[in-house]
Amino acid sequence: QVHLVESVGGLVQAVGSLRLSCAASGVIFTVSDMGWYRQSPGKQRELVAVISGSGSTNYADSVKGRFTISRDNAKDTVFLQMSSLKPEDTAAYYCNARFLNLNYWGQGTQVTVSS
C-alpha cells in the first residue's frame, strides 16, 4: 500500500521561506516521479514542481526561481524549498507520486502566506 506523508505546512510572512517534505512508502522510490501540487479554494489543483527518478525537474512558471524541488532517494523523501513566498502561494500543497503509471496523493498540507 502506498503512503505519502507530508510535513506540516504553516503560516509564514511574505518574502519568507518554508520547506515541505514528503516521505513515501509502498513504491520503488528511485523510479517514481515525485511532484508537488497545490490547490486554492475555488481553483483547480495545479502542478508546482516535479522531479523524475533521474533528477530532472520541471516547475510552474509562477514559482520558477523561487521554489526548488529535490529528493533524497536514501530516505524515500521529496522536498519543496519555497523562498520569496507571496500571498498568492497560499494553498493546500499535495505530494504526488507517479509509479507504474498510477498517481498517488498525500493528504495535503496548508501553507498560508500573510502580506
Side-chain angles (χ1 to χ4, degrees):
Q1 194 168 0
V2 177
H3 289 285
L4 301 174
V5 180
E6 295 131 339
S7 58
V8 175
L11 173 65
V12 62
Q13 288 189 331
V15 308
S17 298
L18 189 66
R19 188 175 85 153
L20 301 179
S21 64
C22 171
S25 62
V27 294
I28 303 177
F29 187 79
T30 53
V31 299
S32 299
D33 293 338
M34 302 297 298
W36 288 94
Y37 289 71
R38 67 186 181 187
Q39 187 168 19
S40 303
K43 295 186 178 181
Q44 289 190 332
R45 192 172 296 188
E46 63 176 1
L47 172 70
V48 176
V50 63
I51 184 167
S52 71
S54 62
S56 299
T57 58
N58 193 29
Y59 296 90
D61 287 342
S62 59
V63 306
K64 281 181 181 177
R66 301 188 298 119
F67 290 11
T68 302
I69 189 170
S70 61
R71 62 193 295 160
D72 185 340
N73 288 339
K75 296 183 178 180
D76 292 354
T77 301
V78 62
F79 303 94
L80 184 68
Q81 177 67 48
M82 304 183 289
S83 302
S84 302
L85 282 161
K86 304 175 181 180
E88 50 264 44
D89 294 319
T90 296
Y93 283 72
Y94 295 88
C95 178
N96 171 268
R98 184 164 178 82
F99 178 62
L100 297 179
N101 290 322
L102 294 177
N103 279 304
Y104 300 92
W105 297 93
Q107 78 282 4
T109 187
Q110 180 67 34
V111 173
T112 302
V113 183
S114 63
S115 57

